[in-house]
Amino acid sequence: MTEDEHQQVIDELQQVIGETQETIHRFEQTGMETEMPEDYDQLLAILDDAVTQQRAHTLAMLTLSDIALEKTT
């Protein structure tokens, strides 16, 4: 993947992270985490997975940047 492609994925994952955090917040504000614990756990898993993927793409993009810098020096 190119740096631009990694950035696009990072941006899309940020949207998923934000939307999931909002949903988790609404769950917690209404007490739904105790009423629907399995759904709440799924939201936490989605958030964890998105953050993990975003971190991986960020590291991959930084590695590409480092490689490009090494080639120019």
Side-chain angles (χ1 to χ4, degrees):
M1 292 182 86
T2 67
E3 286 184 46
D4 289 340
E5 290 169 330
H6 281 294
Q7 187 61 56
Q8 181 179 356
V9 172
I10 289 166
D11 294 342
E12 290 173 9
L13 286 166
Q14 187 59 47
Q15 185 163 351
V16 170
I17 290 167
E19 291 172 0
T20 305
Q21 287 174 325
E22 289 176 20
T23 303
I24 289 170
H25 180 72
R26 285 195 308 271
F27 254 66
E28 293 169 345
Q29 291 297 311
T30 59
M32 293 305 292
E33 75 274 17
T34 57
E35 296 293 320
M36 302 173 68
E38 290 144 3
D39 291 342
Y40 184 71
D41 288 343
Q42 286 180 341
L43 287 169
L44 294 175
I46 290 167
L47 180 61
D48 181 59
D49 186 50
V51 169
T52 300
Q53 287 184 48
Q54 188 183 50
R55 183 173 190 270
H57 280 280
T58 300
L59 291 173
M61 187 174 69
L62 291 173
T63 300
L64 286 175
S65 294
D66 286 346
I67 292 169
L69 284 174
E70 289 174 4
K71 288 182 180 180
T72 60
T73 57

